[in-house]
């Protein structure tokens, strides 16, 4: 406990607010579970049964309000930025996001990373307190610690997004740094179900458990479930506003171990548990940096 508080104080110039809550991790497994093959019958039941691997762990999450500048994408794997988009309050539909938010977010990522090219591959609005829809259609907060990719999953997904072999080869040559970036932004001030992000410097990549899913047509994806380990440091920006998006890595080809696939999760802030459902949007993209 003393070590965690001291480490946080070193990062912040002022006393930080600490939120006592819980996060949902996967249990420590002796080996990763078998891939979920959705081309076979019965897999949906196995998918649901994986929730039995969940365990709830008490966690202290530090509010970095007032010392955001001490955290950076390169150093910690995440970065809160001041980025106001005029007319954002009117963007509620997917069409409006495509027209307004996506171009502005791509320019933001280019500015932060130095990327010469970005490629958005998905976006999602979350505006429901709960949702029975599964996987990509779910619009409720994701209350489980995860990464959007493993390193293998990120490179596999890149190959499905860029189908031309010559283009793919040119974008993955040794002189190009490939990043997978998630930009998470409130659509109104965050109270209920805020986002917690783990400082990559405190995280052991061996805590990521590959969770591969195979879909019809030969397509597969692999995200990371996460097990708890003492020493993980978790952060949030309390009362996060639409002009305060957080940019965080879900893959970095220049990070050899774990690819800097930063764990994150929604969590329950006891102060705001009875408030209305949060509204947020996540925009995910690949970014390519010449080196």
């Amino acid at each position: 406990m003393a070590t965690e508080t001291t480490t946080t104080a070193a990062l912040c110039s002022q006393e930080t607010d600490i939120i006592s809550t819980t996060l949902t991790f996967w249990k420590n497994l002796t080996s990763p579970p078998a891939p979920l093959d959705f081309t076979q019958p019965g897999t949906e039941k196995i998918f649901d049964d994986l929730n039995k691997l969940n365990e709830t762990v008490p966690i202290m999450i530090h509010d970095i309000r007032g010392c955001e500048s001490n955290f950076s994408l390169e150093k910690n794997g995440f970065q809160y930025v001041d980025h106001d988009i005029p007319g954002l309050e009117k963007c509620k539909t997917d069409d409006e996001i495509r027209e307004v938010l996506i171009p502005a977010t791509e320019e933001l990522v280019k500015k932060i990373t130095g990327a010469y090219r970005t490629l958005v591959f998905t976006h999602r609005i979350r505006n429901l307190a709960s949702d029975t829809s599964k996987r990509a259609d779910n619009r409720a907060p994701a209350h489980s610690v995860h990464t959007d990719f493993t390193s293998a999953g990120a490179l596999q997904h890149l190959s499905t997004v860029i189908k031309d072999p010559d283009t793919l080869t040119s974008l993955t040559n040794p002189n190009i740094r490939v990043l997978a970036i998630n930009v998470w932004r409130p659509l109104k001030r965050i109270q209920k179900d805020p986002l917690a992000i783990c400082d990559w410097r405190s995280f052991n990549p061996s805590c990521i458990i590959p969770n591969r899913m195979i879909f019809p047509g030969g397509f597969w994806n692999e995200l990371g479930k996460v097990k708890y380990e003492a020493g993980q440091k978790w952060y949030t920006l309390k009362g996060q506003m639409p002009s305060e998006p957080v940019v965080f890595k879900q893959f970095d080809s220049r990070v050899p171990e774990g690819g800097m696939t930063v764990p994150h999760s929604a969590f329950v802030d006891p102060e705001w548990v009875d408030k209305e459902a949060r509204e947020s949007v996540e925009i995910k993209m690949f970014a390519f940096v010449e080196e």
Side-chain angles (χ1 to χ4, degrees):
M1 188 75 69
T3 301
E4 181 175 0
T5 304
T6 301
T7 302
T8 304
L11 287 170
C12 295
S13 59
Q14 61 188 46
E15 189 67 26
T16 59
D17 184 22
I18 297 176
I19 304 167
S20 295
T21 185
T22 60
L23 290 177
T24 300
F25 295 83
W26 257 19
K27 297 176 182 177
N28 190 5
L29 306 177
T30 56
S31 61
L36 290 166
D37 188 349
F38 288 99
T39 67
Q40 302 299 317
T43 303
E44 288 286 353
K45 176 64 166 58
I46 298 173
F47 180 82
D48 293 337
D49 286 346
L50 287 178
N51 288 330
K52 296 176 182 178
L53 297 175
N54 289 341
E55 65 173 355
T56 301
V57 178
I59 293 288
M60 292 193 309
I61 298 176
H62 295 264
D63 172 23
I64 64 171
R65 172 73 65 186
C67 54
E68 300 97 308
S69 62
N70 292 332
F71 297 80
S72 70
L73 190 67
E74 195 69 18
K75 180 178 65 176
N76 309 95
F78 69 92
Q79 181 174 337
Y80 288 90
V81 296
D82 183 6
H83 188 241
D84 188 27
I85 298 179
L88 174 61
E89 69 279 1
K90 299 177 183 179
C91 292
K92 302 297 183 183
T93 68
D94 285 357
D95 285 344
E96 291 168 334
I97 287 174
R98 279 191 291 268
E99 294 172 5
V100 178
L101 272 180
I102 288 180
T105 303
E106 287 189 280
E107 289 305 311
L108 172 65
V109 170
K110 287 178 180 178
K111 181 178 179 181
I112 292 174
T113 64
Y116 73 93
R117 177 177 178 177
T118 54
L119 180 61
V120 171
F121 56 85
T122 191
H123 66 273
R124 185 190 321 196
I125 294 175
R126 295 187 187 269
N127 54 9
L128 300 175
S130 60
D131 190 354
T132 58
S133 300
K134 295 179 181 178
R135 297 187 291 280
D137 294 329
N138 192 290
R139 289 183 177 249
H143 282 277
S144 64
V145 179
H146 66 282
T147 67
D148 297 339
F149 294 117
T150 61
S151 292
L155 292 173
Q156 163 64 17
H157 195 70
L158 180 61
S159 70
T160 65
V161 172
I162 301 177
K163 302 184 183 301
D164 178 62
D166 292 337
T167 302
L168 182 62
T169 298
S170 69
L171 291 174
T172 55
N173 76 65
N175 296 320
I176 302 297
R177 184 181 193 179
V178 181
L179 303 170
I181 300 290
N182 189 329
V183 182
W184 192 94
R185 182 191 296 267
L187 292 174
K188 63 180 181 181
R189 180 173 179 255
I190 293 295
Q191 294 180 325
K192 184 180 178 68
D193 296 328
L195 185 71
I197 301 183
C198 188
D199 186 343
W200 185 258
R201 299 185 307 168
S202 73
F203 185 72
N204 182 352
S206 67
C207 289
I208 294 176
I209 303 170
N211 183 26
R212 182 170 296 192
M213 290 171 280
I214 301 171
F215 300 101
F219 169 73
W220 62 270
N221 192 15
E222 187 173 86
L223 56 82
K225 295 289 191 176
V226 177
K227 65 182 180 181
Y228 173 73
E229 185 176 79
Q232 293 173 0
K233 306 296 190 298
W234 288 88
Y235 298 95
T236 194
L237 184 65
K238 195 158 186 175
Q240 186 180 357
M241 298 293 290
S243 61
E244 299 174 314
V246 59
V247 181
F248 57 100
K249 291 183 186 178
Q250 290 303 273
F251 176 70
D252 185 341
S253 64
R254 289 294 186 263
V255 179
E257 186 180 10
M260 217 171 194
T261 53
V262 175
H264 52 285
S265 175
F267 71 95
V268 175
D269 184 339
E271 182 179 355
W272 306 114
V273 67
D274 294 325
K275 294 294 183 179
E276 61 186 11
R278 79 163 195 229
E279 293 182 20
S280 61
V281 57
E282 55 202 55
I283 298 175
K284 302 177 187 180
M285 70 185 75
F286 288 108
F288 306 93
V289 183
E290 287 184 314
E291 294 189 331

